[in-house]
Structures are given as C-alpha cells and as structure tokens.
Amino acid sequence: MQFDSLADFFNMGGYAFYVWLSYGITAFSLATLIFISARQKRKILTEIAKKMQREDRLKANRSNQQ
C-alpha cells in the first residue's frame, strides 16, 4: 500500500484505530511475556541456588559428624 503523506500513513485508509490498536496490543503482550519470563527465570535461578547451598550445608554436616 502506498501513502501520499505521513498523515495518510497514520490514518491507514480509515482503519487506523484497528491497525494501531492491534499493534499496541501485540507490543503490550510481547512486553508482558518478556517481563514475566525474566521474572520467572530469576525466581527459578534463586531457588536452584538456595537448594544447592542447602545440599552443600547438608554434605558439610555429614562429613563433620563422621
């Protein structure tokens, strides 16, 4: 599709509301997905680190008791 001016581009042939709304919803959805995924990754890595520390403490206690 070819546009004569920048205003025509933003108007999108009369369908601007639907076009820009769909772009906005898509951008919001992707940003939310990235944010939630990063937060979950950080939480999982923290839990793994805690479990590893606990296992190290348990091993150390076992070796001290023997």
Side-chain angles (χ1 to χ4, degrees):
M1 184 177 251
Q2 188 176 19
F3 300 102
D4 294 331
S5 68
L6 191 59
D8 286 341
F9 172 73
F10 286 114
N11 190 24
M12 290 286 173
Y15 296 101
F17 176 75
Y18 304 107
V19 172
W20 295 115
L21 182 63
S22 65
Y23 276 118
I25 289 171
T26 301
F28 176 76
S29 299
L30 288 174
T32 303
L33 179 64
I34 291 169
F35 175 75
I36 290 172
S37 297
R39 189 172 60 179
Q40 285 178 342
K41 178 183 176 184
R42 193 175 336 117
K43 181 180 176 183
I44 289 170
L45 290 176
T46 302
E47 289 176 8
I48 290 171
K50 286 180 182 179
K51 286 181 182 181
M52 290 175 66
Q53 288 175 353
R54 182 175 183 270
E55 288 176 5
D56 290 342
R57 283 195 316 265
L58 290 173
K59 286 180 186 176
N61 285 339
R62 285 186 199 139
S63 65
N64 287 339
Q65 289 176 356
Q66 293 176 358

Short mmCIF file of all heavy atoms in Angstrom, two decimals:
data_model
loop_
_atom_site.label_atom_id
_atom_site.label_comp_id
_atom_site.label_asym_id
_atom_site.label_seq_id
_atom_site.Cartn_x
_atom_site.Cartn_y
_atom_site.Cartn_z
N MET A 1 0.85 -1.17 0.00
CA MET A 1 0.00 0.00 0.00
C MET A 1 0.90 1.24 0.00
O MET A 1 1.87 1.30 0.73
CB MET A 1 -0.91 -0.06 1.22
CG MET A 1 -1.90 1.05 1.28
SD MET A 1 -3.00 0.85 2.71
CE MET A 1 -4.48 0.43 1.87
N GLN A 2 0.54 2.21 -0.80
CA GLN A 2 1.35 3.41 -0.91
C GLN A 2 0.59 4.59 -0.31
O GLN A 2 -0.61 4.75 -0.54
CB GLN A 2 1.65 3.68 -2.38
CG GLN A 2 2.63 4.79 -2.60
CD GLN A 2 2.95 4.94 -4.09
OE1 GLN A 2 2.21 4.47 -4.93
NE2 GLN A 2 4.03 5.60 -4.37
N PHE A 3 1.29 5.41 0.44
CA PHE A 3 0.68 6.56 1.09
C PHE A 3 1.27 7.84 0.52
O PHE A 3 2.46 7.92 0.23
CB PHE A 3 0.92 6.50 2.60
CG PHE A 3 0.36 5.27 3.24
CD1 PHE A 3 1.18 4.21 3.59
CD2 PHE A 3 -0.99 5.16 3.47
CE1 PHE A 3 0.67 3.07 4.17
CE2 PHE A 3 -1.52 4.01 4.06
CZ PHE A 3 -0.69 2.97 4.41
N ASP A 4 0.41 8.87 0.38
CA ASP A 4 0.84 10.15 -0.19
C ASP A 4 1.50 11.04 0.85
O ASP A 4 2.34 11.87 0.52
CB ASP A 4 -0.35 10.89 -0.81
CG ASP A 4 -0.89 10.16 -2.03
OD1 ASP A 4 -0.10 9.47 -2.70
OD2 ASP A 4 -2.11 10.27 -2.28
N SER A 5 1.14 10.88 2.11
CA SER A 5 1.72 11.72 3.15
C SER A 5 1.82 10.91 4.45
O SER A 5 1.27 9.81 4.57
CB SER A 5 0.86 12.97 3.38
OG SER A 5 -0.38 12.60 3.96
N LEU A 6 2.49 11.51 5.41
CA LEU A 6 2.63 10.87 6.71
C LEU A 6 1.28 10.76 7.41
O LEU A 6 0.99 9.77 8.08
CB LEU A 6 3.63 11.65 7.57
CG LEU A 6 4.09 10.99 8.85
CD1 LEU A 6 4.76 9.65 8.54
CD2 LEU A 6 5.04 11.88 9.61
N ALA A 7 0.42 11.78 7.22
CA ALA A 7 -0.91 11.75 7.82
C ALA A 7 -1.72 10.59 7.23
O ALA A 7 -2.47 9.91 7.96
CB ALA A 7 -1.62 13.06 7.59
N ASP A 8 -1.60 10.34 5.94
CA ASP A 8 -2.29 9.21 5.32
C ASP A 8 -1.78 7.88 5.88
O ASP A 8 -2.54 6.94 6.06
CB ASP A 8 -2.11 9.22 3.80
CG ASP A 8 -2.94 10.29 3.11
OD1 ASP A 8 -3.91 10.78 3.73
OD2 ASP A 8 -2.60 10.63 1.96
N PHE A 9 -0.47 7.84 6.14
CA PHE A 9 0.10 6.63 6.72
C PHE A 9 -0.51 6.36 8.09
O PHE A 9 -0.91 5.24 8.40
CB PHE A 9 1.62 6.75 6.84
CG PHE A 9 2.25 5.63 7.61
CD1 PHE A 9 2.35 4.36 7.06
CD2 PHE A 9 2.73 5.83 8.90
CE1 PHE A 9 2.92 3.32 7.76
CE2 PHE A 9 3.30 4.80 9.61
CZ PHE A 9 3.40 3.54 9.04
N PHE A 10 -0.57 7.39 8.94
CA PHE A 10 -1.12 7.21 10.29
C PHE A 10 -2.62 6.96 10.27
O PHE A 10 -3.16 6.33 11.16
CB PHE A 10 -0.78 8.39 11.18
CG PHE A 10 0.67 8.40 11.61
CD1 PHE A 10 1.52 9.40 11.18
CD2 PHE A 10 1.17 7.40 12.42
CE1 PHE A 10 2.85 9.39 11.56
CE2 PHE A 10 2.50 7.39 12.80
CZ PHE A 10 3.34 8.39 12.37
N ASN A 11 -3.32 7.45 9.23
CA ASN A 11 -4.75 7.23 9.09
C ASN A 11 -5.06 5.81 8.61
O ASN A 11 -6.12 5.27 8.89
CB ASN A 11 -5.36 8.26 8.14
CG ASN A 11 -6.86 8.22 8.15
OD1 ASN A 11 -7.47 7.80 9.12
ND2 ASN A 11 -7.46 8.67 7.07
N MET A 12 -4.14 5.19 7.91
CA MET A 12 -4.24 3.82 7.41
C MET A 12 -5.52 3.58 6.60
O MET A 12 -6.18 2.55 6.75
CB MET A 12 -4.18 2.81 8.55
CG MET A 12 -2.86 2.69 9.21
SD MET A 12 -1.74 1.81 8.14
CE MET A 12 -0.24 1.98 9.03
N GLY A 13 -5.86 4.53 5.75
CA GLY A 13 -7.02 4.36 4.89
C GLY A 13 -8.34 4.26 5.64
O GLY A 13 -9.26 3.60 5.17
N GLY A 14 -8.42 4.89 6.79
CA GLY A 14 -9.65 4.86 7.58
C GLY A 14 -9.70 3.74 8.61
O GLY A 14 -10.65 3.64 9.37
N TYR A 15 -8.70 2.90 8.62
CA TYR A 15 -8.67 1.78 9.56
C TYR A 15 -7.62 1.97 10.66
O TYR A 15 -7.18 1.01 11.27
CB TYR A 15 -8.37 0.47 8.82
CG TYR A 15 -9.44 0.10 7.83
CD1 TYR A 15 -9.27 0.34 6.48
CD2 TYR A 15 -10.63 -0.46 8.26
CE1 TYR A 15 -10.25 0.01 5.56
CE2 TYR A 15 -11.62 -0.80 7.37
CZ TYR A 15 -11.43 -0.56 6.02
OH TYR A 15 -12.41 -0.88 5.13
N ALA A 16 -7.24 3.21 10.91
CA ALA A 16 -6.16 3.50 11.84
C ALA A 16 -6.43 2.95 13.24
O ALA A 16 -5.54 2.38 13.87
CB ALA A 16 -5.90 4.99 11.91
N PHE A 17 -7.67 3.11 13.71
CA PHE A 17 -7.98 2.66 15.06
C PHE A 17 -7.67 1.17 15.22
O PHE A 17 -7.03 0.75 16.18
CB PHE A 17 -9.45 2.93 15.39
CG PHE A 17 -9.87 2.40 16.73
CD1 PHE A 17 -9.49 3.04 17.90
CD2 PHE A 17 -10.64 1.25 16.83
CE1 PHE A 17 -9.86 2.55 19.14
CE2 PHE A 17 -11.01 0.75 18.06
CZ PHE A 17 -10.63 1.41 19.21
N TYR A 18 -8.12 0.37 14.28
CA TYR A 18 -7.94 -1.08 14.37
C TYR A 18 -6.47 -1.48 14.16
O TYR A 18 -5.97 -2.37 14.83
CB TYR A 18 -8.82 -1.78 13.34
CG TYR A 18 -10.28 -1.42 13.49
CD1 TYR A 18 -10.89 -0.58 12.57
CD2 TYR A 18 -11.01 -1.88 14.57
CE1 TYR A 18 -12.23 -0.24 12.72
CE2 TYR A 18 -12.34 -1.55 14.72
CZ TYR A 18 -12.94 -0.72 13.80
OH TYR A 18 -14.25 -0.37 13.96
N VAL A 19 -5.82 -0.81 13.21
CA VAL A 19 -4.42 -1.14 12.92
C VAL A 19 -3.54 -0.80 14.10
O VAL A 19 -2.77 -1.64 14.58
CB VAL A 19 -3.95 -0.41 11.65
CG1 VAL A 19 -2.46 -0.59 11.46
CG2 VAL A 19 -4.70 -0.90 10.43
N TRP A 20 -3.65 0.43 14.61
CA TRP A 20 -2.77 0.84 15.71
C TRP A 20 -3.13 0.15 17.01
O TRP A 20 -2.26 -0.12 17.84
CB TRP A 20 -2.76 2.36 15.85
CG TRP A 20 -2.17 3.00 14.64
CD1 TRP A 20 -2.79 3.82 13.76
CD2 TRP A 20 -0.83 2.85 14.14
NE1 TRP A 20 -1.93 4.18 12.75
CE2 TRP A 20 -0.73 3.60 12.96
CE3 TRP A 20 0.28 2.14 14.58
CZ2 TRP A 20 0.45 3.67 12.22
CZ3 TRP A 20 1.45 2.20 13.84
CH2 TRP A 20 1.52 2.96 12.68
N LEU A 21 -4.42 -0.16 17.18
CA LEU A 21 -4.81 -0.92 18.36
C LEU A 21 -4.20 -2.32 18.34
O LEU A 21 -3.70 -2.81 19.35
CB LEU A 21 -6.34 -1.01 18.46
CG LEU A 21 -6.89 -1.74 19.68
CD1 LEU A 21 -6.51 -1.01 20.96
CD2 LEU A 21 -8.40 -1.86 19.57
N SER A 22 -4.20 -2.94 17.18
CA SER A 22 -3.61 -4.28 17.09
C SER A 22 -2.10 -4.24 17.32
O SER A 22 -1.54 -5.11 17.98
CB SER A 22 -3.92 -4.93 15.74
OG SER A 22 -3.31 -4.22 14.70
N TYR A 23 -1.44 -3.19 16.80
CA TYR A 23 -0.01 -3.04 17.08
C TYR A 23 0.23 -2.82 18.57
O TYR A 23 1.16 -3.39 19.16
CB TYR A 23 0.59 -1.87 16.31
CG TYR A 23 0.99 -2.19 14.89
CD1 TYR A 23 0.39 -1.53 13.81
CD2 TYR A 23 1.96 -3.13 14.62
CE1 TYR A 23 0.75 -1.81 12.50
CE2 TYR A 23 2.34 -3.42 13.32
CZ TYR A 23 1.73 -2.76 12.27
OH TYR A 23 2.10 -3.05 10.98
N GLY A 24 -0.60 -2.01 19.18
CA GLY A 24 -0.45 -1.73 20.62
C GLY A 24 -0.66 -2.96 21.47
O GLY A 24 0.10 -3.23 22.40
N ILE A 25 -1.69 -3.73 21.15
CA ILE A 25 -1.97 -4.95 21.91
C ILE A 25 -0.84 -5.96 21.73
O ILE A 25 -0.42 -6.61 22.69
CB ILE A 25 -3.33 -5.55 21.50
CG1 ILE A 25 -4.46 -4.65 21.99
CG2 ILE A 25 -3.49 -6.96 22.02
CD1 ILE A 25 -5.83 -5.04 21.47
N THR A 26 -0.35 -6.07 20.52
CA THR A 26 0.76 -7.00 20.26
C THR A 26 2.01 -6.59 21.03
O THR A 26 2.66 -7.42 21.67
CB THR A 26 1.05 -7.07 18.76
OG1 THR A 26 -0.12 -7.50 18.08
CG2 THR A 26 2.20 -8.02 18.48
N ALA A 27 2.35 -5.30 20.98
CA ALA A 27 3.54 -4.82 21.69
C ALA A 27 3.38 -5.01 23.20
O ALA A 27 4.32 -5.44 23.88
CB ALA A 27 3.79 -3.35 21.36
N PHE A 28 2.20 -4.72 23.71
CA PHE A 28 1.95 -4.89 25.15
C PHE A 28 2.07 -6.37 25.54
O PHE A 28 2.66 -6.70 26.57
CB PHE A 28 0.57 -4.35 25.52
CG PHE A 28 0.21 -4.57 26.95
CD1 PHE A 28 0.77 -3.80 27.95
CD2 PHE A 28 -0.69 -5.57 27.31
CE1 PHE A 28 0.45 -4.01 29.28
CE2 PHE A 28 -1.01 -5.79 28.62
CZ PHE A 28 -0.45 -5.00 29.61
N SER A 29 1.48 -7.24 24.72
CA SER A 29 1.54 -8.68 25.01
C SER A 29 2.98 -9.20 25.01
O SER A 29 3.36 -9.96 25.90
CB SER A 29 0.72 -9.46 24.00
OG SER A 29 -0.63 -9.06 24.04
N LEU A 30 3.75 -8.79 24.02
CA LEU A 30 5.14 -9.24 23.95
C LEU A 30 5.95 -8.70 25.13
O LEU A 30 6.77 -9.43 25.72
CB LEU A 30 5.77 -8.81 22.63
CG LEU A 30 5.28 -9.57 21.40
CD1 LEU A 30 5.86 -8.95 20.13
CD2 LEU A 30 5.65 -11.03 21.49
N ALA A 31 5.75 -7.44 25.48
CA ALA A 31 6.48 -6.85 26.61
C ALA A 31 6.11 -7.56 27.91
O ALA A 31 6.98 -7.85 28.74
CB ALA A 31 6.18 -5.36 26.71
N THR A 32 4.83 -7.87 28.08
CA THR A 32 4.39 -8.57 29.28
C THR A 32 4.99 -9.98 29.34
O THR A 32 5.46 -10.41 30.40
CB THR A 32 2.85 -8.66 29.31
OG1 THR A 32 2.31 -7.34 29.25
CG2 THR A 32 2.36 -9.36 30.56
N LEU A 33 5.00 -10.66 28.21
CA LEU A 33 5.58 -12.00 28.15
C LEU A 33 7.07 -11.98 28.50
O LEU A 33 7.54 -12.81 29.28
CB LEU A 33 5.38 -12.60 26.77
CG LEU A 33 5.94 -13.99 26.53
CD1 LEU A 33 5.24 -15.00 27.43
CD2 LEU A 33 5.78 -14.37 25.08
N ILE A 34 7.80 -11.02 27.97
CA ILE A 34 9.23 -10.90 28.26
C ILE A 34 9.45 -10.61 29.74
O ILE A 34 10.30 -11.22 30.39
CB ILE A 34 9.87 -9.82 27.37
CG1 ILE A 34 9.90 -10.31 25.92
CG2 ILE A 34 11.27 -9.45 27.86
CD1 ILE A 34 10.27 -9.22 24.92
N PHE A 35 8.66 -9.69 30.29
CA PHE A 35 8.80 -9.33 31.71
C PHE A 35 8.51 -10.51 32.62
O PHE A 35 9.29 -10.81 33.54
CB PHE A 35 7.85 -8.16 32.03
CG PHE A 35 7.83 -7.79 33.48
CD1 PHE A 35 8.88 -7.10 34.04
CD2 PHE A 35 6.76 -8.15 34.29
CE1 PHE A 35 8.87 -6.77 35.39
CE2 PHE A 35 6.73 -7.83 35.62
CZ PHE A 35 7.80 -7.14 36.18
N ILE A 36 7.42 -11.21 32.36
CA ILE A 36 7.04 -12.35 33.21
C ILE A 36 8.07 -13.47 33.08
O ILE A 36 8.44 -14.10 34.08
CB ILE A 36 5.62 -12.83 32.86
CG1 ILE A 36 4.61 -11.79 33.32
CG2 ILE A 36 5.32 -14.18 33.50
CD1 ILE A 36 3.19 -12.06 32.87
N SER A 37 8.54 -13.73 31.87
CA SER A 37 9.54 -14.79 31.67
C SER A 37 10.84 -14.47 32.40
O SER A 37 11.43 -15.35 33.03
CB SER A 37 9.82 -14.97 30.18
OG SER A 37 8.66 -15.40 29.51
N ALA A 38 11.28 -13.22 32.32
CA ALA A 38 12.51 -12.83 33.02
C ALA A 38 12.35 -12.96 34.53
O ALA A 38 13.27 -13.42 35.22
CB ALA A 38 12.89 -11.40 32.64
N ARG A 39 11.18 -12.59 35.03
CA ARG A 39 10.94 -12.69 36.48
C ARG A 39 10.92 -14.15 36.92
O ARG A 39 11.49 -14.50 37.96
CB ARG A 39 9.63 -11.98 36.83
CG ARG A 39 9.41 -11.86 38.31
CD ARG A 39 8.23 -11.00 38.64
NE ARG A 39 7.04 -11.59 38.04
CZ ARG A 39 5.82 -11.08 38.16
NH1 ARG A 39 5.65 -9.96 38.82
NH2 ARG A 39 4.79 -11.67 37.62
N GLN A 40 10.27 -15.01 36.14
CA GLN A 40 10.23 -16.43 36.48
C GLN A 40 11.62 -17.06 36.41
O GLN A 40 11.97 -17.88 37.26
CB GLN A 40 9.28 -17.18 35.54
CG GLN A 40 7.83 -16.93 35.83
CD GLN A 40 6.91 -17.65 34.86
OE1 GLN A 40 7.34 -18.05 33.78
NE2 GLN A 40 5.66 -17.80 35.22
N LYS A 41 12.40 -16.67 35.43
CA LYS A 41 13.76 -17.20 35.32
C LYS A 41 14.58 -16.82 36.54
O LYS A 41 15.29 -17.64 37.12
CB LYS A 41 14.43 -16.66 34.05
CG LYS A 41 15.85 -17.14 33.89
CD LYS A 41 16.50 -16.53 32.67
CE LYS A 41 17.96 -16.94 32.59
NZ LYS A 41 18.65 -16.28 31.48
N ARG A 42 14.48 -15.55 36.95
CA ARG A 42 15.22 -15.08 38.12
C ARG A 42 14.78 -15.85 39.37
O ARG A 42 15.61 -16.26 40.20
CB ARG A 42 14.98 -13.58 38.31
CG ARG A 42 15.92 -12.94 39.30
CD ARG A 42 15.77 -11.43 39.40
NE ARG A 42 15.21 -10.78 38.23
CZ ARG A 42 14.05 -10.10 38.22
NH1 ARG A 42 13.33 -9.98 39.32
NH2 ARG A 42 13.61 -9.51 37.13
N LYS A 43 13.47 -16.11 39.50
CA LYS A 43 12.95 -16.83 40.65
C LYS A 43 13.46 -18.27 40.66
O LYS A 43 13.87 -18.78 41.71
CB LYS A 43 11.42 -16.82 40.62
CG LYS A 43 10.77 -17.50 41.78
CD LYS A 43 9.26 -17.45 41.66
CE LYS A 43 8.59 -18.22 42.78
NZ LYS A 43 7.13 -18.23 42.63
N ILE A 44 13.44 -18.92 39.53
CA ILE A 44 13.92 -20.31 39.44
C ILE A 44 15.40 -20.40 39.74
O ILE A 44 15.84 -21.29 40.47
CB ILE A 44 13.59 -20.89 38.05
CG1 ILE A 44 12.09 -21.11 37.93
CG2 ILE A 44 14.34 -22.18 37.81
CD1 ILE A 44 11.63 -21.46 36.52
N LEU A 45 16.19 -19.47 39.20
CA LEU A 45 17.63 -19.49 39.48
C LEU A 45 17.91 -19.26 40.95
O LEU A 45 18.82 -19.87 41.52
CB LEU A 45 18.35 -18.45 38.62
CG LEU A 45 18.40 -18.76 37.12
CD1 LEU A 45 19.05 -17.60 36.36
CD2 LEU A 45 19.14 -20.05 36.86
N THR A 46 17.13 -18.40 41.60
CA THR A 46 17.29 -18.17 43.03
C THR A 46 16.96 -19.43 43.82
O THR A 46 17.67 -19.80 44.76
CB THR A 46 16.38 -17.01 43.49
OG1 THR A 46 16.70 -15.85 42.75
CG2 THR A 46 16.53 -16.73 44.97
N GLU A 47 15.88 -20.11 43.43
CA GLU A 47 15.51 -21.36 44.11
C GLU A 47 16.57 -22.42 43.93
O GLU A 47 16.89 -23.15 44.87
CB GLU A 47 14.17 -21.85 43.59
CG GLU A 47 12.99 -21.01 44.02
CD GLU A 47 11.68 -21.48 43.41
OE1 GLU A 47 11.67 -22.54 42.76
OE2 GLU A 47 10.68 -20.78 43.58
N ILE A 48 17.13 -22.53 42.75
CA ILE A 48 18.19 -23.51 42.50
C ILE A 48 19.41 -23.20 43.35
O ILE A 48 20.02 -24.11 43.94
CB ILE A 48 18.55 -23.54 41.00
CG1 ILE A 48 17.41 -24.16 40.20
CG2 ILE A 48 19.85 -24.31 40.77
CD1 ILE A 48 17.59 -24.05 38.70
N ALA A 49 19.78 -21.93 43.44
CA ALA A 49 20.93 -21.54 44.26
C ALA A 49 20.69 -21.88 45.73
O ALA A 49 21.60 -22.38 46.41
CB ALA A 49 21.21 -20.05 44.10
N LYS A 50 19.48 -21.65 46.21
CA LYS A 50 19.16 -21.98 47.60
C LYS A 50 19.25 -23.48 47.84
O LYS A 50 19.77 -23.93 48.87
CB LYS A 50 17.77 -21.48 47.97
CG LYS A 50 17.68 -19.99 48.16
CD LYS A 50 16.26 -19.58 48.52
CE LYS A 50 16.14 -18.08 48.66
NZ LYS A 50 14.75 -17.68 48.98
N LYS A 51 18.75 -24.29 46.90
CA LYS A 51 18.81 -25.74 47.04
C LYS A 51 20.25 -26.23 47.02
O LYS A 51 20.62 -27.12 47.78
CB LYS A 51 18.01 -26.42 45.93
CG LYS A 51 16.51 -26.30 46.13
CD LYS A 51 15.75 -27.00 45.02
CE LYS A 51 14.26 -26.83 45.22
NZ LYS A 51 13.48 -27.51 44.18
N MET A 52 21.08 -25.64 46.18
CA MET A 52 22.48 -26.04 46.12
C MET A 52 23.19 -25.69 47.43
O MET A 52 23.99 -26.49 47.94
CB MET A 52 23.17 -25.38 44.93
CG MET A 52 22.71 -25.94 43.60
SD MET A 52 23.41 -25.09 42.18
CE MET A 52 25.13 -25.51 42.36
N GLN A 53 22.90 -24.52 47.98
CA GLN A 53 23.50 -24.14 49.25
C GLN A 53 23.07 -25.09 50.36
O GLN A 53 23.87 -25.49 51.21
CB GLN A 53 23.12 -22.70 49.62
CG GLN A 53 23.78 -21.65 48.77
CD GLN A 53 23.28 -20.26 49.09
OE1 GLN A 53 22.33 -20.08 49.85
NE2 GLN A 53 23.90 -19.26 48.47
N ARG A 54 21.78 -25.46 50.36
CA ARG A 54 21.28 -26.39 51.36
C ARG A 54 21.96 -27.75 51.24
O ARG A 54 22.37 -28.35 52.24
CB ARG A 54 19.77 -26.56 51.20
CG ARG A 54 19.15 -27.46 52.24
CD ARG A 54 17.64 -27.49 52.11
NE ARG A 54 17.05 -28.29 53.15
CZ ARG A 54 16.81 -29.60 53.07
NH1 ARG A 54 17.14 -30.26 51.98
NH2 ARG A 54 16.28 -30.25 54.08
N GLU A 55 22.12 -28.22 50.01
CA GLU A 55 22.79 -29.50 49.80
C GLU A 55 24.25 -29.44 50.26
O GLU A 55 24.76 -30.38 50.87
CB GLU A 55 22.72 -29.91 48.34
CG GLU A 55 21.34 -30.35 47.89
CD GLU A 55 21.27 -30.65 46.40
OE1 GLU A 55 22.31 -30.61 45.73
OE2 GLU A 55 20.15 -30.93 45.94
N ASP A 56 24.91 -28.33 49.99
CA ASP A 56 26.30 -28.16 50.45
C ASP A 56 26.38 -28.18 51.97
O ASP A 56 27.29 -28.78 52.54
CB ASP A 56 26.90 -26.86 49.90
CG ASP A 56 27.14 -26.92 48.39
OD1 ASP A 56 27.17 -28.04 47.83
OD2 ASP A 56 27.29 -25.84 47.79
N ARG A 57 25.43 -27.51 52.63
CA ARG A 57 25.42 -27.50 54.10
C ARG A 57 25.18 -28.90 54.64
O ARG A 57 25.81 -29.32 55.62
CB ARG A 57 24.35 -26.54 54.62
CG ARG A 57 24.70 -25.08 54.53
CD ARG A 57 23.77 -24.20 55.38
NE ARG A 57 22.37 -24.54 55.26
CZ ARG A 57 21.49 -23.97 54.44
NH1 ARG A 57 21.89 -23.02 53.63
NH2 ARG A 57 20.22 -24.35 54.42
N LEU A 58 24.25 -29.63 54.00
CA LEU A 58 23.98 -31.00 54.46
C LEU A 58 25.21 -31.89 54.27
O LEU A 58 25.53 -32.71 55.14
CB LEU A 58 22.78 -31.59 53.70
CG LEU A 58 21.42 -30.99 54.05
CD1 LEU A 58 20.35 -31.54 53.12
CD2 LEU A 58 21.08 -31.29 55.50
N LYS A 59 25.91 -31.76 53.17
CA LYS A 59 27.13 -32.55 52.94
C LYS A 59 28.19 -32.20 53.96
O LYS A 59 28.89 -33.07 54.47
CB LYS A 59 27.66 -32.30 51.53
CG LYS A 59 26.85 -32.98 50.45
CD LYS A 59 27.44 -32.68 49.07
CE LYS A 59 26.58 -33.23 47.97
NZ LYS A 59 27.09 -32.88 46.63
N ALA A 60 28.33 -30.92 54.25
CA ALA A 60 29.32 -30.47 55.23
C ALA A 60 28.98 -31.02 56.62
O ALA A 60 29.87 -31.46 57.36
CB ALA A 60 29.39 -28.96 55.27
N ASN A 61 27.71 -31.02 56.97
CA ASN A 61 27.30 -31.56 58.28
C ASN A 61 27.55 -33.06 58.37
O ASN A 61 27.97 -33.57 59.40
CB ASN A 61 25.81 -31.26 58.55
CG ASN A 61 25.59 -29.82 58.90
OD1 ASN A 61 26.49 -29.12 59.31
ND2 ASN A 61 24.35 -29.36 58.73
N ARG A 62 27.28 -33.76 57.29
CA ARG A 62 27.53 -35.21 57.28
C ARG A 62 29.01 -35.51 57.43
O ARG A 62 29.39 -36.43 58.15
CB ARG A 62 27.01 -35.82 55.97
CG ARG A 62 25.53 -35.95 55.92
CD ARG A 62 25.09 -36.70 54.68
NE ARG A 62 23.69 -36.41 54.43
CZ ARG A 62 23.17 -36.18 53.23
NH1 ARG A 62 23.93 -36.23 52.16
NH2 ARG A 62 21.89 -35.93 53.09
N SER A 63 29.84 -34.75 56.75
CA SER A 63 31.28 -35.02 56.83
C SER A 63 31.82 -34.62 58.21
O SER A 63 32.77 -35.23 58.70
CB SER A 63 32.04 -34.28 55.73
OG SER A 63 31.93 -32.88 55.91
N ASN A 64 31.24 -33.62 58.86
CA ASN A 64 31.68 -33.22 60.21
C ASN A 64 31.25 -34.25 61.26
O ASN A 64 31.93 -34.41 62.27
CB ASN A 64 31.10 -31.85 60.58
CG ASN A 64 31.77 -30.73 59.82
OD1 ASN A 64 32.88 -30.89 59.32
ND2 ASN A 64 31.10 -29.60 59.71
N GLN A 65 30.14 -34.92 61.03
CA GLN A 65 29.65 -35.89 62.00
C GLN A 65 30.43 -37.20 61.94
O GLN A 65 30.47 -37.95 62.90
CB GLN A 65 28.15 -36.18 61.75
CG GLN A 65 27.28 -35.01 62.12
CD GLN A 65 25.81 -35.28 61.78
OE1 GLN A 65 25.48 -36.30 61.21
NE2 GLN A 65 24.96 -34.34 62.15
N GLN A 66 31.07 -37.49 60.84
CA GLN A 66 31.80 -38.76 60.71
C GLN A 66 33.20 -38.67 61.18
O GLN A 66 33.90 -38.00 61.58
CB GLN A 66 31.81 -39.21 59.26
CG GLN A 66 30.42 -39.58 58.82
CD GLN A 66 30.40 -39.95 57.33
OE1 GLN A 66 31.42 -39.89 56.65
NE2 GLN A 66 29.26 -40.35 56.85
#
